[in-house]
């Protein structure tokens, strides 16, 4: 597959109407298309997010910060390995590491160039309470900002040792089953939540067949990065209100790329940032709870949708939630007010669940919750007997 001919794009909607912007827009489109084909993500937002993050690894030398990408799931078998395999092929100088790396190893990997570290099994390897993890976590935290270094002992003449500052800056992926990360690590992460692809929506990654096209895509990404690096370096994007401090450091690299790409990518990135900030506020109420608010909501809805229930209106769902669990969804909640249509809709959207209409009534079909229920162990894996009639994000009104 030939990705190296952007001449068919006039770039009229690009950052500056240039061929560079048009090629960057197309390159991001191709990355998103690749992930949509081979990876199942429950949240539609996560496909462009993954494309932007992957591309940023190739220009991390000019973005100043590199947000950590967190791939997390409540259960095993949710596709983290598949995502890591594709990132291992597509990211800049990628290293897939399944066991806990030593701080010295990370420093030496990053010493000669920017490399992308893919850390699997983070629920085992990055537990902040585990002995010896503090140095490793400190490197991951400090290394998200350009110029970060770590003193390392290196051999010198005469068999002696001397201290040398080695760089720790570079992109990092953290993958695990609800890993227990320190707060300051999570604050540096852009998160993608995974659930099992129970309906087998994604195409199987048979690398014997797909590697040639994937390598072509890598070449295109590298060429595009070289072509647009200076534009991205000089770009200072406008970020949404409220995107400050560490949030700004996380999102600015991706916003720079999206702004240069134009063609809707800048608008898309603004939406990603805004929804991420909103979700962070909602997740803050999970402190002290075993389940996050989203997991609690999906669990409660599993009880409300009794076997045989095909459709429930949004109003009835909301009324039932508030009456049956007032401490979570009513006036007694940490918000100090009942759950609203809008907040419930945003929480469900992160699980790939959207409202629809049954006649003139807006609500939710039981079938749209199937994948979330199965992944959280609420229901057995079986296809719904009634058509689920799910709506896409564009039709959601909550």
């Amino acid at each position: 597959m030939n990705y190296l001919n952007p001449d068919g794009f006039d770039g009229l909607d690009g950052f500056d109407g240039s061929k560079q912007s048009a090629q960057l827009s197309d390159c991001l489109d191709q990355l998103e298309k690749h992930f949509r084909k081979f990876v199942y993500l429950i949240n539609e937002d996560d496909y462009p997010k993954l494309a932007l993050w992957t591309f940023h690894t190739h220009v991390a030398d000019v973005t100043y910060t590199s947000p950590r990408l967190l791939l997390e799931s409540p259960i095993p078998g949710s596709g983290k390995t598949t995502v890591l395999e594709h990132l291992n092929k597509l990211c800049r100088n990628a290293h897939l590491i399944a066991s806990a790396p030593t701080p010295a190893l990370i420093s030496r990997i990053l010493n000669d160039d920017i490399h992308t570290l893919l850390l699997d099994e983070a629920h085992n390897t990055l537990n902040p309470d585990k002995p010896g993890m503090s140095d490793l976590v400190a490197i991951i935290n400090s290394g998200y900002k350009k110029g970060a270094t770590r003193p390392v002992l290196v051999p010198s003449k005469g068999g002696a040792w001397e201290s040398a500052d080695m760089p720790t800056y570079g992109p990092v992926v953290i993958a695990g089953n609800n890993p227990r990360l320190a707060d300051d690590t999570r604050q540096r992460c852009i998160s993608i939540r995974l659930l099992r692809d129970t309906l087998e929506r994604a195409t199987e990654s048979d690398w014997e067949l797909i590697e040639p096209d994937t390598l072509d895509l890598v070449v295109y990404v590298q060429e595009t990065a070289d072509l647009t690096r200076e534009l991205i370096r000089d770009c200072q994007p406008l970020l949404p209100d409220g995107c400050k401090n560490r949030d700004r450091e996380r999102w600015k690299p991706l916003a720079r790329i999206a702004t240069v790409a134009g063609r809707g990518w800048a608008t898309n990135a603004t939406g990603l940032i805004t929804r991420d900030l909103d979700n962070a506020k909602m997740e803050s109420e999970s402190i002290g709870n075993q389940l996050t608010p989203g997991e609690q909501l999906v669990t409660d809805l599993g009880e409300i949708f009794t076997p045989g229930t095909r459709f429930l209106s949004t109003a009835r769902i909301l009324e039932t939630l508030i009456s049956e669990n007032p401490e979570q969804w009513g006036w007694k909640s940490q918000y100090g007010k009942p759950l609203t249509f809008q907040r419930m809709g945003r929480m469900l959207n992160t699980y790939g669940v959207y409202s629809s209409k049954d006649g003139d009534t807006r609500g939710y079909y039981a079938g749209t919750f199937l994948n979330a229920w199965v992944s959280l162990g609420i229901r057995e894996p079986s296809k719904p007997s009634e058509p689920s009639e799910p709506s896409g994000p564009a039709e959601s009104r909550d």
Side-chain angles (χ1 to χ4, degrees):
M1 186 177 297
N2 181 15
Y3 291 100
L4 300 178
N5 183 15
D7 295 335
F9 300 95
D10 56 24
L12 296 178
D13 296 324
F15 174 68
D16 57 1
S18 67
K19 178 180 178 179
Q20 293 100 312
S21 295
Q23 179 166 329
L24 177 55
S25 176
D26 179 61
C27 182
L28 293 173
D29 289 344
Q30 297 295 344
L31 281 169
E32 181 178 349
K33 181 180 178 181
H34 178 92
F35 287 122
R36 285 185 180 276
K37 181 175 182 180
F38 296 108
V39 171
Y40 172 65
L41 303 176
I42 59 174
N43 188 347
E44 286 290 312
D45 280 351
D46 289 341
Y47 289 106
K49 188 188 300 182
L50 194 54
L52 284 165
W53 193 90
T54 301
F55 186 87
H56 114 277
T57 67
H58 293 269
V59 292
D61 51 307
V62 298
T63 59
Y64 188 69
T65 56
S66 177
R68 279 61 189 104
L69 181 66
L70 176 60
L71 305 175
E72 59 181 338
S73 172
I75 54 174
S78 298
K80 293 185 297 298
T81 299
T82 299
V83 178
L84 288 172
E85 286 177 352
H86 284 270
L87 291 174
N88 193 40
K89 301 287 185 181
L90 294 169
C91 291
R92 176 177 180 173
N93 297 333
H95 298 265
L96 181 55
I97 303 173
S99 58
T102 64
L105 175 62
I106 290 181
S107 298
R108 283 173 170 78
I109 289 176
L110 299 175
N111 190 41
D112 61 336
D113 191 8
I114 290 178
H115 293 251
T116 304
L117 303 179
L118 312 177
L119 307 180
D120 200 2
E121 304 296 326
H123 49 281
N124 295 322
T125 59
L126 292 182
N127 188 329
D129 296 333
K130 194 172 181 179
M133 284 297 102
S134 58
D135 285 347
L136 179 58
V137 171
I139 288 178
I140 292 173
N141 288 347
S142 67
Y144 92 118
K145 187 174 291 187
K146 193 172 182 180
T149 61
R150 176 183 186 272
V152 176
L153 290 176
V154 295
S156 61
K157 293 181 179 180
W161 294 82
E162 62 182 17
S163 177
D165 288 333
M166 290 191 175
T168 60
Y169 176 66
V172 174
V173 179
I174 301 171
N177 300 324
N178 281 352
R180 284 191 59 208
L181 300 180
D183 289 342
D184 53 354
T185 303
R186 279 193 174 271
Q187 291 168 4
R188 290 169 166 83
C189 292
I190 289 177
S191 299
I192 291 179
R193 179 170 285 266
L194 300 169
L195 292 177
R196 286 176 179 168
D197 184 9
T198 57
L199 299 182
E200 298 182 350
R201 298 167 179 85
T203 300
E204 184 177 356
S205 298
D206 187 339
W207 286 105
E208 183 179 359
L209 299 178
I210 71 174
E211 187 157 20
D213 283 349
T214 304
L215 293 177
D216 284 346
L217 179 55
V218 172
V219 172
Y220 186 35
V221 171
Q222 292 170 339
E223 184 213 47
T224 305
D226 291 339
L227 188 68
T228 59
R229 181 171 276 102
E230 291 186 7
L231 286 174
I232 293 169
R233 180 196 62 198
D234 296 336
C235 177
Q236 295 296 323
L238 293 175
L239 299 177
D241 292 340
C243 189
K244 302 176 181 179
N245 303 321
R246 193 158 284 168
D247 289 327
R248 180 181 181 84
E249 292 175 344
R250 285 192 303 129
W251 281 106
K252 188 177 180 181
L254 274 57
R256 294 169 95 153
I257 296 166
T259 301
V260 172
R263 289 192 163 191
W265 275 96
T267 301
N268 199 346
T270 299
L272 293 176
I273 297 170
T274 300
R275 288 186 288 274
D276 176 75
L277 297 178
D278 289 343
N279 288 336
K281 291 179 181 179
M282 289 188 292
E283 291 297 328
S284 67
E285 73 174 9
S286 66
I287 298 175
N289 295 336
Q290 184 177 2
L291 299 178
T292 67
E295 291 168 346
Q296 185 66 58
L297 178 60
V298 172
T299 299
D300 288 353
L301 289 172
E303 297 179 2
I304 293 174
F305 278 86
T306 57
T309 302
R310 173 177 172 271
F311 178 89
L312 290 175
S313 69
T314 304
R316 181 177 175 184
I317 290 173
L318 205 61
E319 179 182 357
T320 306
L321 284 170
I322 293 172
S323 64
E324 293 189 357
N325 194 350
E327 293 187 355
Q328 181 74 31
W329 310 119
W331 287 102
K332 297 180 181 180
S333 71
Q334 294 187 20
Y335 278 96
K337 58 184 179 181
L339 181 68
T340 63
F341 294 163
Q342 293 77 14
R343 185 158 65 95
M344 181 176 72
R346 289 196 299 269
M347 293 170 74
L348 292 177
N349 289 355
T350 65
Y351 286 84
V353 176
Y354 302 92
S355 66
S356 300
K357 277 191 174 181
D358 187 34
D360 294 329
T361 304
R362 179 160 288 280
Y364 292 85
Y365 287 94
T368 61
F369 294 96
L370 178 64
N371 196 66
W373 285 337
V374 170
S375 295
L376 294 176
I378 298 169
R379 296 281 175 90
E380 292 296 323
S382 61
K383 294 184 179 180
S385 57
E386 296 288 344
S388 61
E389 304 180 44
S391 65
E395 293 185 16
S396 175
R397 297 293 182 271
D398 291 337

